[in-house]
Amino acid sequence: MRKLMVATLLAGAPIAVTLATPVMAQDVGPTFTGPRVEGILGYDRTGAGSDVDNGTGDQNIDGLLYGVGAGYDVNLGSAVVGVEGEWTNSTSKSSRRDYSDQFGFGRVKQGRDLYVGARAGILADPATLVYVKGGYTNTKLNVLAGNTNESTDEAFKLDGWRIGAGVERAINANTFAKIEYRYSKYEDAHINFADGSASSEFGIDTDRHQVVGSVGWRF
């Protein structure tokens, strides 16, 4: 009886796979369209741009990036266009305990980042989207107090632009996963002081690199 059951299961396996394949394809169906939300997790590195980096010492901070995003896409058939926004934060912070200037800002911890932009891509197959993206980013660098890891009430606010590219895969008609690389360039900043006042804008040269993965839900 046991051998008969095993033989029956083995004989039925190819049929089950054959039946499952069209079901999965049917579940995916037309996608990459409509509103979406997602959770974001990845690697984050902020540091000196080419005008600041002198090739000596550690002029970068890196850590774990985490946050949420939302967007709206339109499927045009073989191409997809959309708009999107993000809120992220990071564990990146200065590791030095002295007051040396790592990459133009002294001892800082990476704070929240706000991004708004657009993306456009082509469908490699009905369930796979290859895309590029770009837009505006505003980030915050919290100043660390003395030789501790505690943030003060002073911070740098940085304005810049972001470009990136990625691949998104539809798991089914409503859920998706994606991976992407993003590069951000910050060229303007001001300081928010503890008393609530702010400095005038000044020029900077700061780079940011991120490799992130996302899992999301499409409505």
Side-chain angles (χ1 to χ4, degrees):
M1 179 64 70
R2 184 174 302 170
K3 291 181 179 179
L4 179 61
M5 291 175 63
V6 172
T8 303
L9 290 173
L10 292 175
I15 299 175
V17 171
T18 303
L19 292 175
T21 301
V23 170
M24 291 175 64
Q26 186 178 13
D27 285 345
V28 172
T31 187
F32 304 112
T33 190
R36 58 181 166 87
V37 294
E38 62 194 85
I40 302 167
L41 191 68
Y43 172 73
D44 181 45
R45 183 181 181 91
T46 303
S50 58
D51 292 340
V52 178
D53 191 350
N54 57 18
T56 61
D58 182 7
Q59 298 190 71
N60 301 280
I61 55 174
D62 56 3
L64 180 69
L65 181 81
Y66 56 93
V68 293
Y72 189 94
D73 297 311
V74 178
N75 190 329
L76 303 176
S78 60
V80 174
V81 295
V83 294
E84 59 185 4
E86 290 180 5
W87 175 94
T88 58
N89 210 328
S90 174
T91 63
S92 303
K93 62 183 177 182
S94 300
S95 59
R96 295 181 179 178
R97 289 292 180 173
D98 57 25
Y99 304 101
S100 60
D101 192 357
Q102 284 188 291
F103 57 101
F105 300 97
R107 295 191 66 245
V108 293
K109 179 184 182 301
Q110 183 69 60
R112 64 104 185 102
D113 181 89
L114 303 175
Y115 165 79
V116 60
R119 71 173 187 167
I122 58 173
L123 294 172
D125 61 52
T128 306
L129 175 68
V130 181
Y131 63 89
V132 293
K133 63 186 290 179
Y136 166 78
T137 171
N138 174 274
T139 197
K140 183 179 179 182
L141 293 174
N142 298 312
V143 178
L144 294 175
N147 64 350
T148 74
N149 289 324
E150 297 298 322
S151 296
T152 70
D153 290 329
E154 296 183 356
F156 293 90
K157 294 286 187 67
L158 283 58
D159 288 306
W161 48 267
R162 176 173 296 163
I163 56 174
V167 177
E168 181 175 323
R169 178 74 178 177
I171 301 172
N172 55 46
N174 296 109
T175 58
F176 63 88
K178 67 181 185 181
I179 184 169
E180 67 180 39
Y181 164 77
R182 302 103 72 90
Y183 167 75
S184 302
K185 185 70 170 181
Y186 299 99
E187 299 173 318
D188 297 292
H190 67 268
I191 304 174
N192 284 359
F193 296 106
D195 61 5
S197 63
S199 73
S200 57
E201 292 282 334
F202 55 90
I204 58 170
D205 183 13
T206 302
D207 293 339
R208 194 173 189 183
H209 301 271
Q210 299 169 332
V211 179
V212 304
S214 302
V215 176
W217 178 267
R218 195 178 295 276
F219 298 93

